[in-house]
Amino acid sequence: EHGHPKRNSGHTPVNRFILKTFLVLFVVAGPTVVFSQELTQEKWTSFEFYDDQYIIVRGAVNGHEIDMMVDTGAEISLNDKAYAKRFGVRKGRKLKAAGFGGKAKSYLAKNIEVTSGSVSIRVTKVAIVDLSAMAAAIGRPMPFILGVESFMQAIVDIDYPNRQITFRPAENFNY
């Protein structure tokens, strides 16, 4: 009210469309993360907690530095189509995706190298989609979203008070 723009609550039809689209993509593409190096010790990476709801880490996709979102709600990793083109990511087969608002064009890309801090992950399947509506809704560029499949194949510690995250191979974890 005092000159500050009102923040989006996250419950717009655009966001519901995006979520539904990505849920459909997961069914088609499946889980996909492989660690490309053995992690012998815990290595923490700082993150920004944007708008007190989005974990943003500095990283790289195929060697191109970017900010990326770590999103437990995205069931497959996503690369914005404009950024994918800049990163030299080649489109694979077309994926069918449908959501609240209709259909969205999307493609499958394979073997994308994602790094953040000292962790390097080869994401074997990534959906290439237009993330511009999502970027506009949250108010920042959204070149890449690291999806929940990385959580399914790793132990992920998120230290919210210190704004740090670490990924460890699940086989090294004792329950």
Side-chain angles (χ1 to χ4, degrees), residues 1-170:
E1 276 198 357
H2 301 300
H4 297 282
K6 186 172 181 169
R7 292 253 183 221
N8 187 322
S9 69
H11 300 292
T12 66
V14 169
N15 288 344
R16 283 192 300 270
F17 170 75
I18 291 168
L19 177 61
K20 289 285 187 180
T21 298
F22 300 148
L23 290 177
V24 171
L25 287 172
F26 176 67
V27 171
V28 174
T32 58
V33 172
V34 175
F35 281 88
S36 60
Q37 67 182 22
E38 182 65 31
L39 299 177
T40 57
Q41 58 183 331
E42 198 170 273
K43 306 220 178 177
W44 291 90
T45 300
S46 296
F47 67 83
E48 173 189 358
F49 199 40
Y50 179 73
D51 203 24
D52 290 327
Q53 59 183 335
Y54 304 106
I55 295 174
I56 308 293
V57 295
R58 190 76 184 148
V61 172
N62 286 351
H64 298 271
E65 284 201 25
I66 57 161
D67 287 335
M68 67 182 93
M69 180 188 291
V70 176
D71 186 356
T72 59
E75 296 194 29
I76 183 173
S77 292
L78 308 163
N79 197 169
D80 178 73
K81 69 178 186 174
Y83 285 93
K85 188 174 183 178
R86 281 189 237 163
F87 302 159
V89 175
R90 291 189 291 184
K91 294 178 188 175
R93 69 180 170 97
K94 195 171 189 176
L95 298 175
K96 292 182 180 180
F100 257 54
K103 295 181 180 181
K105 288 183 183 178
S106 58
Y107 300 89
L108 184 65
K110 294 182 178 182
N111 297 318
I112 295 178
E113 190 72 24
V114 178
T115 59
S116 183
S118 60
V119 176
S120 179
I121 301 169
R122 183 173 46 89
V123 184
T124 58
K125 294 179 185 173
V126 174
I128 298 175
V129 294
D130 183 358
L131 295 174
S132 61
M134 182 180 211
I138 68 168
R140 73 178 294 149
M142 193 54 50
F144 195 88
I145 298 174
L146 187 60
V148 75
E149 80 278 5
S150 60
F151 289 79
M152 292 177 173
Q153 298 186 30
I155 301 301
V156 181
D157 267 338
I158 302 173
D159 178 354
Y160 284 95
N162 292 309
R163 305 288 197 255
Q164 295 182 332
I165 187 169
T166 188
F167 293 78
R168 288 178 270 148

